[in-house]
Amino acid sequence: MLLPWLILLPFIGGLLCWQSERFSRALPRWIAVLSMVLTLLLSLMMWGQGHFSLAMPQGIPQWQSEFILPWIPRFGISFHFALDGLSLLMVVLTAFLGLLSIVCSWNEVDKREGLFHLNLLWIVGGVMGVFLAIDMFLFFFFWEMMLIPMFFLIALWGHKGSDERTRIATAIKFFIYTQVSGLVMLVAIIGLVFVHYRATGVWTFDYNHLIGTKMSSPVAYLLMLGFFVAFAVKMPLIPLHGWLADAHAQSPTAGSVDLAGLLLKTAAYGLLRFVLPFFPHASAEFAPIAMWLGVISIFYGAWLAFSQTDIKRLIAYSSVSHMGFVMVAIYTGSQLAYQGAIVMMIAHGLSAAGLFILCGQLYERIGTRDMREMGGLWGRLRYMPGLSLFFAVASLGMPGTGNFVGEFMMLFGSYKVVPLITIISTFGVVFASVYSLVMIHRAYYGEAKSDAPLAVMSIREFSMILSLVVLLVLLGIFPQGVLETSHAAIANIQHYFMTASSLSITGTSTTGL
Amino acid sequence: MSISIQQLAAFSPLLIVDLSVIVVMLAIAWRRCHKMTAGLSIIGLIAAILSLFFVSGEIPAHLTSLLQVDGFTLFYSGLVLIAGLATCIFGYSWLKEHQDNKDEFYLLVLISTGGAILLACANHIATLFLGIELVSLPLFGLVGYVFQQKPSLEASIKYMLLSAGASAFMLFGMALLYADTGSLSFAGIASGLSQGVAQQPLLLVGIGMLLVGICFKLSLAPFHLWTPDVYQGAPAPVATFLATSSKIAIFAVLVRIFIEAPLIDLPSVKLVLSVIAIASILFGNFMAVSQTNIKRLLGYSSIAHLGYLLIVLVAIKDRQLAIETTGVYLVGYLFASLGSFGAVSLLSSPNRGQDVEEISDYRGLFKRRPLIAVVMSLMMLSLAGIPMTLGFIGKFYVLAVAMQGSLWWLSAAVVVGSAIGLYYYLRVAISVFLPSLNSHVADVVETSGFSTKAGALVLLVSAAVVVILGVYPQPLIDCVLFAKPW
């Protein structure tokens, strides 16, 4: 029964924030922090009580906790939330980054604080919904819903350095990209439901029932593509990445943290949770295309990142590159690679959040994000350059950080299945170190533009960053807790994909790749 | 043919509206009093809405072969009555500062509402024509109500001329249909259609002409050219009425015809309707993108929405789903239109020249009038079909109905249309939150006072309906399931 509260807490908190603006300007912040702390505690409590590591994979969806309430009986739609190891990890990540996004924008917002926090909390609520919903209609509902507050966040509280027209144009671009791909997914969802209805005569949007729906292979392929497009836009996969850099460049720090840390992860989650189990055959058939797109994303994202002058755009493109690795891993069907992808998603969420938060703090101090105007900051700032360096090397996959574990497991797991693609993508890691170090070099080394020392980090700023550092190192040194939690869920997903498609995967790997 | 009391009782919504037309007319003749006229009309409309609940036990009822009352009739009567009621309330606050006669506004709205209810009851081509004319004729007067202003007069004349042309088409089509099938009742035409394959060319021409007339009234592409001009020229409360009541009633009767008669089995009709639907969706959305006037924008958006809805007719084979889609979509469209046009009309006033209708006028609204701003932005999201609003449920239904009928092109058109639609809806939705450009505030219409409160209440109710039914649509679906024409 606690499950819906994970979603309700942010939503209710948001409404309270909005109304509390009347009483005091600071009150919305505290309410927001309080509701996120409660959400985080609740999710951690579920982790503690769930006994996720004890679950034995059985090849069917296994939920540690479930909540169901009829919603639209006419179509067999219900408020069906469920939690397994995979969603739990994502939920904890969401709650943690949600909290960070509120704390990091403590002093950034100077107008309409209530509404700002409403939007911020509703994003978190929407993402929670995406990770917990297993009714396809409900899933889509949250999938689209989380875009609205993001849209307002970019349009109304976006980057202060750019004018309003640019912000709004960017927000609308972001919205159209994601909404249209979402509608394509809605068409695919309805298609899937109709296929199921024609076969059984039962209207249902329930994941547990729709899974294993028999359909002809062209239909499955088309429906799979419908889902894939939506997830590929959010991921984002080249060539559907057009919105990402602009959205990051124009959104406030909190928005960037949510965007990179959470929204991008929903796509990988969606692929794992829905596309592979619903359409195992079609996915296997599609796997080579998806993997090559992933490879292209790795390199193209890295090159784009390298050539940016805006530090935030650089980080944005680096996530394209990182998510490319995840993409390759997801379509290999190897359990090790899947586990690596999970670790990578968490680690990337943490490291990207760290980089974006540091970016925001840097911007507050020097008033620019252009790396050509930086340089020599190492001497003028305490702590911050060192911490930036930490996150930069984390993102290039330095051993000892979670990113290394993730990348290593993904590449290791993929090698057995698709050696050629794996070897090529390994070189992506090299490019990752190039752009990460170039970023540090341009911003912090070199000649200083002025000698005036800049403000030191406050305790709030420092503790935020430090918590991220600790978690990243912890994930790098002791990933076992995460691996055990997601093991059963991952094994089940892999079971669907492999039993149906072991033939075609090995077929492609020996012949083409 | 004798008519029993029970039969008449079943038609009480129509009779009550007609009765209030007479009462209001006499009252105006007796004494011109804005408050009284408005009060009488609103009481009449509320009484008619309440009577719907009592009538629901009497259905189905037939009155000669011309009229019938069933769940379908009651549901759509309810919708047009709500539209009429909202128009009267918006009209009251808008007309308060009108210098000329105010009372005839209500009379015309009541007559038009009566015509719309008649359409919902229609079971016969004669009633269909009568209803359409009863809906349209008062609208000429309403559109030109502030004839002292050039745009209003221009819009009225445009609408009148084109509408008369469309009516002529429709009449000729009806005559051809009669010549071919020998019957004017929907059932008779249906049976004529299933037998008479011999004289098909004539029949097709008849159906085509009928469709031209109806498509004109529904402002579907390529018969939409009047829409933006008329929406822009018409006073805001009238535009509310034009966008909701007349379209809902005419679409309802169109659905009834298509369910009754197997028109969609004719491949040419199916093709034509598909093309019209796609053209309306694309054209309406594309043209709306470049608009800076919110009434024109809403006019183009209504073309697109009717285009989405037309898909229902193409996929009417699955009657159950088609009826549900029509109901759910039209309810969403009704309340979103009431909210958005209502906001425009609450901010406007006739003796300040043109209505507040430039999108840039809406900047800073959130500071000045937070309620109207939030409602406006919410309605735009609903029209765009974003989840958590009723518009999304409607869009979901439309996609479902298109998928059910394997209409891939139409589904694609819905997706593309929604994509373009987002662009302009979001622009309006965001503009109310932006700081205003010029320091002199455009709207200084008084914010207190009973009339604006009543208008604001309507906005609030529309917003509540759109959100609550958007999150929990089951009550609406239950209600629509009751609205069956069989």
Side-chain angles (χ1 to χ4, degrees):
Chain A
M1 289 316 280
L2 286 175
L3 222 40
W5 285 103
L6 282 174
I7 299 161
L8 283 177
L9 271 174
F11 276 109
I12 296 171
L15 289 177
L16 287 178
C17 285
W18 180 32
Q19 288 306 320
S20 66
E21 197 185 22
R22 297 159 192 243
F23 305 111
S24 147
R25 292 174 73 93
L27 197 56
R29 275 179 230 153
W30 287 106
I31 293 179
V33 166
L34 182 70
S35 56
M36 278 325 297
V37 166
L38 285 177
T39 317
L40 182 61
L41 287 180
L42 188 60
S43 62
L44 288 176
M45 197 178 89
M46 287 186 154
W47 199 353
Q49 292 178 347
H51 309 297
F52 291 93
S53 50
L54 300 180
M56 295 305 284
Q58 292 163 356
I60 51 161
Q62 290 167 282
W63 311 113
Q64 253 69 23
S65 169
E66 241 181 303
F67 174 86
I68 189 160
L69 193 76
W71 182 13
I72 311 176
R74 163 74 178 85
F75 288 110
I77 296 170
S78 50
F79 286 107
H80 195 174
F81 298 112
L83 189 77
D84 66 356
L86 175 59
S87 25
L88 176 96
L89 289 175
M90 293 296 128
V91 162
V92 174
L93 180 72
T94 309
F96 179 68
L97 289 184
L99 180 60
L100 271 192
S101 69
I102 287 158
V103 180
C104 81
S105 52
W106 204 253
N107 295 326
E108 198 186 347
V109 184
D110 48 8
K111 53 178 184 186
R112 284 171 291 190
E113 288 90 349
L115 216 52
F116 175 80
H117 286 97
L118 169 85
N119 283 318
L120 215 50
L121 285 178
W122 279 33
I123 295 177
V124 176
V127 174
M128 284 280 183
V130 166
F131 287 138
L132 290 175
I134 58 163
D135 183 284
M136 293 317 291
F137 188 85
L138 188 64
F139 168 75
F140 180 79
F141 189 82
F142 283 116
W143 178 263
E144 294 284 280
M145 204 230 78
M146 65 186 178
L147 306 177
I148 307 167
M150 195 71 219
F151 168 76
F152 281 109
L153 212 57
I154 297 176
L156 296 180
W157 292 274
H159 179 47
K160 291 190 189 98
S162 54
D163 66 343
E164 166 200 302
R165 274 183 87 85
T166 332
R167 284 205 303 270
I168 291 179
T170 306
I172 290 181
K173 180 166 151 191
F174 160 74
F175 203 89
I176 290 180
Y177 255 100
T178 40
Q179 166 88 15
V180 172
S181 59
L183 274 179
V184 174
M185 178 164 73
L186 180 63
V187 170
I189 290 175
I190 296 175
L192 180 64
V193 169
F194 271 124
V195 169
H196 185 264
Y197 174 68
R198 291 206 178 116
T200 63
V202 180
W203 285 108
T204 181
F205 279 72
D206 200 303
Y207 178 77
N208 292 338
H209 299 145
L210 288 176
I211 210 163
T213 303
K214 299 263 181 300
M215 58 194 116
S216 66
S217 61
V219 171
Y221 201 82
L222 272 178
L223 295 181
M224 185 274 301
L225 276 185
F227 278 85
F228 182 80
V229 165
F231 296 137
V233 165
K234 246 332 174 349
M235 195 122 177
L237 204 61
I238 311 282
L240 301 170
H241 65 291
W243 58 273
L244 181 81
D246 287 342
H248 271 300
Q250 299 301 333
S251 70
T253 308
S256 287
V257 171
D258 282 353
L259 206 55
L262 305 179
L263 263 62
L264 264 52
K265 306 301 172 285
T266 58
Y269 169 84
L271 284 174
L272 280 173
R273 170 75 79 213
F274 299 112
V275 174
L276 298 185
F278 278 154
F279 316 104
H281 291 283
S283 302
E285 219 176 299
F286 186 66
I289 302 175
M291 281 193 258
W292 280 112
L293 283 174
V295 171
I296 295 171
S297 296
I298 294 174
F299 288 97
Y300 194 61
W303 286 328
L304 281 177
F306 175 71
S307 55
Q308 298 303 317
T309 53
D310 183 333
I311 191 160
K312 227 172 161 187
R313 293 179 81 97
L314 188 152
I315 306 168
Y317 280 119
S318 81
S319 14
V320 175
S321 178
H322 287 302
M323 293 314 274
F325 281 105
V326 175
M327 192 73 195
V328 172
I330 285 173
Y331 275 91
T332 55
S334 139
Q335 197 173 331
L336 191 60
Y338 283 0
Q339 290 278 35
I342 304 292
V343 176
M344 183 66 190
M345 276 152 69
I346 298 171
H348 175 257
L350 297 175
S351 64
L355 282 172
F356 277 123
I357 291 174
L358 281 169
C359 244
Q361 297 177 356
L362 201 59
Y363 181 77
E364 281 175 22
R365 284 172 176 74
I366 59 175
T368 179
R369 290 192 326 227
D370 193 333
M371 283 184 289
R372 287 167 300 190
E373 293 172 27
M374 296 182 191
L377 290 177
W378 196 287
R380 297 168 64 196
L381 284 163
R382 282 179 71 190
Y383 306 125
M384 210 190 277
L387 290 168
S388 301
L389 185 63
F390 172 81
F391 285 106
V393 296
S395 110
L396 65 84
M398 182 71 94
T401 60
N403 306 55
F404 169 73
V405 179
E407 261 170 26
F408 182 74
M409 286 174 76
M410 282 195 292
L411 293 172
F412 208 65
S414 312
Y415 184 75
K416 271 186 285 184
V417 189
V418 280
L420 181 65
I421 288 183
T422 312
I423 291 168
I424 297 175
S425 14
T426 310
F427 286 96
V429 181
V430 179
F431 286 97
S433 36
V434 172
Y435 64 72
S436 301
L437 294 177
V438 157
M439 173 179 78
I440 294 297
H441 177 79
R442 286 186 195 154
Y444 294 106
Y445 292 89
E447 230 169 273
K449 304 266 185 230
S450 110
D451 292 332
L454 296 163
V456 290
M457 291 172 87
S458 67
I459 296 179
R460 172 183 66 86
E461 293 172 331
F462 198 71
S463 54
M464 266 191 307
I465 299 294
L466 211 61
S467 67
L468 285 169
V469 172
V470 169
L471 284 177
L472 264 181
V473 172
L474 208 61
L475 189 63
I477 293 172
F478 184 68
Q480 197 55 32
V482 168
L483 298 180
E484 274 173 4
T485 306
S486 62
H487 172 254
I490 287 296
N492 288 333
I493 289 165
Q494 191 240 5
H495 168 82
Y496 277 105
F497 191 49
M498 287 314 281
T499 48
S501 62
S502 51
L503 274 176
S504 56
I505 269 283
T506 45
T508 45
S509 70
T510 47
T511 54
L513 314 172
Chain B
M1 181 175 191
S2 64
I3 296 169
S4 69
I5 293 292
Q6 246 126 18
Q7 278 176 315
L8 275 184
F11 287 88
S12 51
L14 181 59
L15 297 178
I16 290 174
V17 172
D18 292 346
L19 187 70
S20 35
V21 169
I22 297 171
V23 170
V24 167
M25 192 167 63
L26 290 177
I28 296 174
W30 176 52
R31 198 153 66 92
R32 278 192 179 275
C33 169
H34 185 204
K35 228 173 229 170
M36 184 182 70
T37 322
L40 281 175
S41 335
I42 288 172
I43 289 171
L45 288 170
I46 290 177
I49 292 176
L50 291 179
S51 72
L52 291 173
F53 295 99
F54 298 109
V55 173
S56 59
E58 312 274 334
I59 55 166
H62 293 265
L63 193 63
T64 68
S65 60
L66 293 176
L67 295 171
Q68 71 167 353
V69 170
D70 47 29
F72 191 76
T73 310
L74 294 186
F75 183 75
Y76 290 100
S77 304
L79 294 193
V80 296
L81 283 169
I82 290 172
L85 187 62
T87 309
C88 285
I89 293 173
F90 294 140
Y92 183 71
S93 73
W94 185 83
L95 281 168
K96 263 202 316 195
E97 302 187 28
H98 186 48
Q99 302 302 334
D100 212 333
N101 288 334
K102 302 166 186 169
D103 311 77
E104 281 78 4
F105 181 89
Y106 303 97
L107 192 59
L108 293 171
V109 169
L110 281 176
I111 297 174
S112 189
T113 308
I117 299 179
L118 191 66
L119 275 179
C121 305
N123 197 18
H124 195 274
I125 292 280
T127 343
L128 167 73
F129 186 71
L130 203 63
I132 287 186
E133 288 306 296
L134 258 183
V135 169
S136 319
L137 290 177
L139 276 175
F140 304 154
L142 282 172
V143 171
Y145 205 76
V146 279
F147 56 86
Q148 298 88 341
Q149 287 175 18
K150 276 261 172 62
S152 178
L153 190 60
E154 179 197 322
S156 177
I157 291 174
K158 248 182 210 165
Y159 186 49
M160 185 173 70
L161 289 178
L162 290 173
S163 197
S167 295
F169 265 99
M170 209 155 37
L171 269 182
F172 193 32
M174 288 170 185
L176 288 178
L177 268 185
Y178 182 66
D180 212 62
T181 59
S183 168
L184 276 177
S185 72
F186 292 171
I189 293 174
S191 63
L193 268 177
S194 39
Q195 302 157 3
V197 199
Q199 291 127 320
Q200 252 203 5
L202 206 56
L203 186 75
L204 277 181
V205 173
I207 294 171
M209 291 201 149
L210 192 63
L211 281 181
V212 167
I214 288 180
C215 287
F216 172 85
K217 303 281 178 182
L218 291 176
S219 68
L220 288 158
F223 312 104
H224 64 281
L225 291 171
W226 58 277
T227 316
D229 289 348
V230 171
Y231 274 52
Q232 184 185 9
V238 178
T240 321
F241 193 67
L242 193 62
T244 52
S245 178
S246 70
K247 297 211 168 153
I248 291 173
I250 294 173
F251 197 83
V253 76
L254 195 60
V255 169
R256 197 195 279 278
I257 296 175
F258 270 74
I259 282 180
E260 198 89 34
L263 287 174
I264 210 67
D265 287 345
L266 303 171
S268 49
V269 173
K270 188 168 182 168
L271 179 70
V272 165
L273 283 184
S274 308
V275 170
I276 289 180
I278 292 177
S280 305
I281 292 170
L282 295 184
F283 196 84
N285 279 317
F286 266 122
M287 289 305 289
V289 166
S290 56
Q291 302 304 321
T292 57
N293 181 309
I294 191 145
K295 276 153 84 184
R296 285 185 85 85
L297 185 144
L298 286 171
Y300 279 117
S301 109
S302 85
I303 298 174
H305 280 282
L306 266 300
Y308 296 137
L309 207 47
L310 205 60
I311 294 175
V312 173
L313 290 186
V314 184
I316 207 147
K317 273 273 176 296
D318 186 350
R319 298 196 298 180
Q320 181 66 41
L321 199 57
I323 288 293
E324 274 179 66
T325 310
T326 317
V328 172
Y329 202 91
L330 280 177
V331 170
Y333 174 74
L334 167 68
F335 283 102
S337 304
L338 286 186
S340 44
F341 278 112
V344 178
S345 89
L346 282 187
L347 295 175
S348 309
S349 159
N351 61 357
R352 282 209 184 74
Q354 296 216 329
D355 290 346
V356 180
E357 52 192 28
E358 288 300 317
I359 292 176
S360 55
D361 292 342
Y362 286 82
R363 297 175 59 112
L365 195 63
F366 185 65
K367 270 230 169 70
R368 305 198 297 271
R369 309 281 291 272
L371 173 73
I372 296 183
V374 169
V375 170
M376 188 76 180
S377 155
L378 198 66
M379 292 310 166
M380 289 298 138
L381 293 181
S382 179
L383 285 172
I386 310 289
M388 296 227 287
T389 61
L390 194 48
F392 167 65
I393 308 289
K395 196 150 277 175
F396 168 73
Y397 258 109
V398 166
L399 276 176
V401 98
M403 297 285 289
Q404 172 79 322
S406 309
L407 307 167
W408 307 113
W409 284 107
L410 290 170
S411 319
V414 173
V415 172
V416 173
S418 312
I420 308 165
L422 278 177
Y423 182 73
Y424 58 87
Y425 289 128
L426 289 179
R427 228 165 22 124
V428 180
I430 199 80
S431 71
V432 296
F433 294 103
L434 298 174
S436 54
L437 285 178
N438 39 11
S439 50
H440 76 276
V441 179
D443 59 287
V444 273
V445 178
E446 56 163 323
T447 54
S448 57
F450 171 73
S451 58
T452 33
K453 287 235 173 71
L457 185 70
V458 176
L459 286 193
L460 213 56
V461 169
S462 315
V465 167
V466 163
V467 171
I468 293 173
L469 289 182
V471 174
Y472 188 64
Q474 190 59 35
L476 175 64
I477 296 175
D478 288 338
C479 194
V480 173
L481 285 175
F482 160 81
K484 283 181 220 159
W486 56 84

